[in-house]
Amino acid sequence: MENPVRYEAHGDIGVIRVDNPPVNATSHAVREGLVACAREFAASPQKVAVIVGEGRTFIAGADITEFGKAPREPHLPDAINVIEALDKPVVCVIHGTALGGGFEVALGSHYRVMLRGARIGLPEVNLGLLPGAGGTQRLPRLIGIVPAAEIFTSAKMISAEDCLALGIADDLSNDDPFEAGMAMARKVLAEGLPVRRVSEMSVPPTDEAALEALKKKVARANRGHVCHLKAIEVAVEGTKLPFTEGMKLERAAFWEMMQTPQRAAMIHAFFAERKVASLPEIKGVEPRDLSKIGIIGGGTMGGGIAVSCLLSGLSVTLIERDAESVEKAHNGIARTLADSVKRGKLGAEARDMLLSERLLVTDSYGKLSDADLVIEAVFESMEVKKDVFTKLDAVCKPGAVLASNTSYLDVDEIAAMTKRPEDVIGLHFFSPAHVMKLLEVVVAAKTAKDVVATGFALAKKLKKVPVRAGVCDGFIGNRILKTYRTAADIMVLEGASPFQVDKALEEFGFAMGPYAVADLAGIDIGYLTRKRLVPTRKPGERFGEWGDVLYELGRLGRKTGRGHYIYDDETPKGRPDPEVEEIIAKERRAKGITPRDFTDAEIVERYMAAMINEGAKVVGEGIAQRPLDVDVTKLYGYGFPRFRGGPMHYADEIGLAKVLATIEEAGKAGDDIWEPAPLLKELVAGDKTFASLN
Ligand code: T1G
């Protein structure tokens, strides 16, 4: 491979070009190149150097693909120290995104110019790490500990304008990167600006109260993660020491984080969310046009999908039953957009334009005649959906993609209602649809390849994370949900408290336990699901029915102020309702069950084993392409803790043999859900991992 870092002489200015597509990551070759070019500059007659990145961005960080492998010298902090130690000025030009090690290279330079639109960030915590090349030691010296800690614990990207205001950037430019760098270098020369090493700067005074407040906020926002508070600790303790000592502290902490399972899990998630969209079946397949979107139904899902499309530059025609529903749907969308304006995510003028020029809400199906893609988001009933698809088949133009937002139902059966099943696909959004990133792209038996490609193209346009799913009841996400929810219900029937189950899973890392989620989604949803499943239930099949009692008592969860928890002024976030324990005890007695105690560990072990087992069945049957597709589905649609990497990654971490043992032990009670997945047994027998299938 050609050397990814090149040195060029331009009169008195030496230019160090970093050219390592796609994002100039500081691979071993780049680190070697940076050191070699710095040394070439030092020995050269050039008086000032410019570090510039080729392509769409400056250095976007260390090369993540090298993590977990044996580290090779020069390490990045050492390469940056070579640059900073130069006794002739070094200018760094930032375009695109200077992230992690890339921003640390900039901090090791003596002057920084940013192109307008460029951003910096220290997102290492998103990988279970902390800045490991000076970020925790140089940035506090430049802007203070608290502002620095806000940057490396939030992983937020900071704009060029804010960087200028903070003193991170010395100047902004509208030129291209090379010209911006040359102009800054000429300024340094003309004004005789000296070498200016950040490592030699002293740390501005720290507002201790603000620091304590930040630690509390970070701990609350990143429950279960180990790297965020570690990064603050290293910055605080390290900057009390001479720079080189502080760097040793940072390095030790960096390697400590590198060994954690959280780091492996979060890097797995980083690459998995990028891999889900790379599908062989759509490689080189041109998607169909995608500018005019039709939506059937203006309820919570239809309205959310409409907002997601409008905010992504698409025009929307939304169909509702009658004039009253048309108005209600329009107002719902207007309210959501107004909320985006209030939160500064959207300008008021832009909002007005979307409502007046891009959105049409009507009760006339005829308005869909030129739609490129139509998404049906009506009530979850096969009969209603079949009626809608019959109408769509009649009014939509040839080549229009007809999609259903069903979350469970058989897309093949829906497609069969049309004369163009090859144009039918499932696009399963998650509520709230303008917020949730996951999109299950459900490929039916006859769905054409370019329709699949169009589903993935829509996901990219809406900035969603798409996962390809096959057709079965509940596809990937909801099918697996049904199983681990049943496992939880059976543990409750056997004696666990639903509140203990929730607490144990929240400590494991879930934002909410299954019963708090049931209250949020609505007890009526669970009730309708149980009713829908009655015809398919086997005799003697165990499942929890106390939800039906709550339903009949009108306790539908948060929306009625009572479900499993009581939600009132005293406890807006909910407190356990002792009556629920009584209702469950009554069900146990009726079913002749003598309750027993469960430990939190056993609850987590069983819950996860059920999720992993069903995940393995879903992969084994080809409903999900790879185990990583299950992981991404659970991470982006079901609040699975990112620092665990997803259920299949977690299974590999704890060992598949152990998971299988838990399943076989739980299976002694005879519940179908504990039938071990053939794929899991196969992998255990072959001493293989789920990762080997990714
Ligand atoms: N290393 C290796 N590959 C990377 C990479 C990286 N840092 N960043 C991106 N890629 C690959 C990615 O997998 C994809 O590959 C392609 O580039 C395009 O990426 C010492 C330890 C820069 C904002 O965390 O956030 O520095 O799928 O699809 O949407 O302190 O990539 O095409 O084969 O995401 O335009 C810190 C991670 C590292 C930044 C561009 N840096 N990257 O987004 O493209 S840790 C990060 C991103 C560190 C030091 C520490 C984004 C992006 P493929 P993409 P994009």
Side-chain angles (χ1 to χ4, degrees):
M1 188 183 110
E2 204 209 338
N3 185 346
V5 186
R6 302 186 296 280
Y7 183 78
E8 299 162 5
H10 294 260
D12 285 342
I13 301 172
V15 175
I16 298 174
R17 281 185 195 278
V18 181
D19 187 6
N20 183 31
V23 295
N24 288 325
T26 57
S27 61
H28 179 246
V30 168
R31 299 193 303 271
E32 279 190 323
L34 284 170
V35 171
C37 290
R39 299 224 162 104
E40 190 171 346
F41 166 61
S44 78
Q46 276 71 54
K47 296 188 179 73
V48 56
V50 173
I51 302 178
V52 61
E54 287 300 294
R56 63 191 173 112
T57 182
F58 185 65
I59 299 171
D63 187 336
I64 304 172
T65 62
E66 292 183 354
F67 292 169
K69 298 176 187 147
R72 298 168 64 195
E73 294 193 357
H75 299 307
L76 189 57
D78 307 325
I80 294 172
N81 286 347
V82 170
I83 293 167
E84 189 187 53
L86 290 164
D87 54 18
K88 297 188 277 183
V90 177
V91 168
C92 181
V93 190
I94 298 175
H95 76 291
T97 51
L99 303 175
F103 180 43
E104 290 168 305
V105 168
L107 288 171
S109 306
H110 306 135
Y111 296 93
R112 286 157 290 280
V113 55
M114 289 180 75
L115 269 58
R116 290 185 200 288
R119 295 170 296 162
I120 64 96
L122 290 172
E124 285 85 347
V125 288
N126 286 350
L127 303 171
L129 291 168
L130 48 84
T136 68
Q137 303 303 303
R138 286 195 173 91
L139 191 56
R141 283 176 164 79
L142 197 57
I143 64 173
I145 286 183
V146 175
E150 272 161 357
I151 290 176
F152 61 61
T153 55
S154 67
K156 277 212 186 88
M157 300 224 205
I158 314 297
S159 73
E161 289 69 20
D162 289 347
C163 285
L164 189 67
L166 281 165
I168 291 172
D170 299 291
D171 202 358
L172 304 185
S173 171
N174 295 322
D175 286 334
D176 69 50
F178 176 75
E179 284 311 325
M182 295 301 281
M184 185 72 183
R186 282 191 287 272
K187 180 175 171 204
V188 169
L189 279 175
E191 298 174 16
L193 298 177
V195 162
R196 186 188 60 175
R197 299 188 179 97
V198 177
S199 63
E200 293 166 1
M201 297 176 183
S202 45
V203 181
T206 299
D207 175 340
E208 295 302 335
L211 181 60
E212 284 318 306
L214 178 66
K215 284 185 194 169
K216 286 205 177 74
K217 189 179 97 184
V218 167
R220 250 194 332 272
N222 303 288
R223 200 168 48 79
H225 291 258
V226 289
C227 54
H228 299 73
L229 292 176
K230 187 76 181 177
I232 297 179
E233 178 198 318
V234 167
V236 170
E237 298 312 317
T239 52
K240 290 176 186 160
L241 305 169
F243 180 74
T244 45
E245 295 311 307
M247 283 297 285
K248 287 187 188 138
L249 210 64
E250 179 191 89
R251 205 70 197 152
F254 178 77
W255 284 117
E256 184 192 332
M257 293 301 112
M258 190 63 92
Q259 313 317 319
T260 63
Q262 294 199 359
R263 184 275 302 167
M266 295 178 80
I267 288 182
H268 164 73
F270 176 87
F271 285 118
E273 72 195 35
R274 282 161 179 76
K275 256 193 173 167
V276 283
S278 66
L279 284 181
E281 73 188 276
I282 58 172
K283 209 167 179 41
V285 178
E286 200 49 41
R288 298 185 187 175
D289 288 347
L290 257 184
S291 61
K292 296 194 187 89
I293 306 296
I295 298 173
I296 314 297
T300 311
M301 290 311 295
I305 297 168
V307 169
S308 184
C309 292
L310 290 168
L311 292 175
S312 307
L314 298 165
S315 64
V316 172
T317 301
L318 188 143
I319 309 292
E320 258 295 353
R321 278 189 313 278
D322 52 37
E324 190 195 338
S325 318
V326 162
E327 193 185 339
K328 194 160 167 252
H330 188 277
N331 296 345
I333 293 167
R335 259 196 315 279
T336 309
L337 291 175
D339 188 48
S340 300
V341 171
K342 213 167 51 202
R343 284 185 295 109
K345 300 264 183 218
L346 181 68
E349 269 175 45
R351 182 267 317 272
D352 299 344
M353 181 279 286
L354 293 178
L355 287 172
S356 57
E357 293 171 27
R358 294 273 179 76
L359 174 65
L360 169 66
V361 185
T362 170
D363 56 5
S364 155
Y365 265 78
K367 297 284 185 213
L368 293 174
S369 58
D370 65 346
D372 300 315
L373 180 146
V374 181
I375 304 168
E376 161 275 311
V378 297
F379 185 65
E380 190 71 348
S381 128
M382 185 55 91
E383 209 187 321
V384 178
K385 292 185 189 292
K386 284 183 172 178
D387 176 52
V388 169
F389 274 76
T390 307
K391 288 187 184 135
L392 292 177
D393 199 20
V395 296
C396 291
K397 67 181 180 184
V401 173
L402 309 181
S404 171
N405 178 56
T406 178
S407 32
Y408 281 90
L409 301 178
D410 185 338
V411 182
D412 288 318
E413 200 178 328
I414 294 171
M417 290 311 297
T418 72
K419 294 182 222 41
R420 48 175 123 180
E422 69 282 1
D423 297 340
V424 176
I425 194 166
L427 291 177
H428 178 209
F429 289 78
F430 289 76
S431 183
H434 64 294
V435 177
M436 292 295 281
K437 296 239 329 159
L438 182 66
L439 178 63
E440 274 185 320
V441 179
V442 184
V443 181
K446 296 190 176 148
T447 303
K449 284 199 180 340
D450 66 339
V451 171
V452 179
T454 308
F456 276 79
L458 179 73
K460 191 161 187 174
K461 223 175 184 54
L462 303 182
K463 296 195 174 46
K464 300 289 184 196
V465 177
V467 175
R468 184 201 190 285
V471 174
C472 69
D473 192 82
F475 320 127
I476 298 174
N478 282 344
R479 170 174 163 179
I480 298 173
L481 167 71
K482 204 167 56 190
T483 299
Y484 57 83
R485 234 337 272 281
T486 303
D489 289 356
I490 290 173
M491 284 192 275
V492 171
L493 283 176
E494 290 179 346
S497 143
F499 311 118
Q500 181 195 6
V501 171
D502 277 359
K503 193 169 101 4
L505 290 164
E506 283 155 18
E507 269 157 25
F508 176 75
F510 283 95
M512 266 190 202
Y515 300 106
V517 170
D519 278 8
L520 185 67
I523 299 291
D524 45 334
I525 305 288
Y527 175 82
L528 292 171
T529 305
R530 276 188 298 281
K531 291 293 161 255
R532 191 173 63 80
L533 293 173
V534 168
T536 59
R537 283 211 193 281
K538 296 205 177 70
E541 184 180 326
R542 296 197 295 169
F543 61 101
E545 297 172 85
W546 65 88
D548 298 354
V549 179
L550 294 178
Y551 177 81
E552 276 129 26
L553 289 168
R555 298 179 186 175
L556 306 185
R558 278 186 189 235
K559 58 188 169 192
T560 58
R562 197 167 184 179
H564 290 86
Y565 296 83
I566 298 170
Y567 306 88
D568 56 17
D569 298 346
E570 190 192 330
T571 53
K573 290 207 169 102
R575 67 178 180 279
D577 182 350
E579 273 192 38
V580 171
E581 301 274 23
E582 289 159 24
I583 294 168
I584 294 169
K586 203 163 159 220
E587 182 174 343
R588 290 181 188 130
R589 286 194 294 275
K591 291 178 176 176
I593 299 172
T594 309
R596 69 169 178 92
D597 290 339
F598 280 78
T599 62
D600 289 2
E602 186 184 3
I603 288 170
V604 171
E605 194 182 326
R606 277 220 180 166
Y607 191 83
M608 286 308 304
M611 191 186 298
I612 294 161
N613 194 36
E614 196 64 30
K617 290 176 183 171
V618 161
V619 175
E621 294 165 23
I623 300 295
Q625 302 273 293
R626 303 148 293 196
L628 70 85
D629 295 81
V630 173
D631 286 338
V632 172
T633 300
K634 288 294 151 184
L635 287 169
Y636 280 95
Y638 297 81
F640 194 92
R642 196 175 173 88
F643 64 83
R644 305 252 185 215
M648 312 316 275
H649 175 87
Y650 176 71
D652 282 349
E653 185 196 311
I654 60 174
L656 301 190
K658 183 168 181 299
V659 176
L660 184 56
T662 302
I663 291 165
E664 286 166 346
E665 177 58 32
K668 289 182 180 147
D671 305 293
D672 276 2
I673 59 164
W674 294 119
E675 178 59 36
L679 176 65
L680 179 59
K681 291 201 283 188
E682 205 185 293
L683 291 172
V684 172
D687 195 20
K688 290 205 179 112
T689 62
F690 284 123
S692 67
L693 303 174
N694 283 338

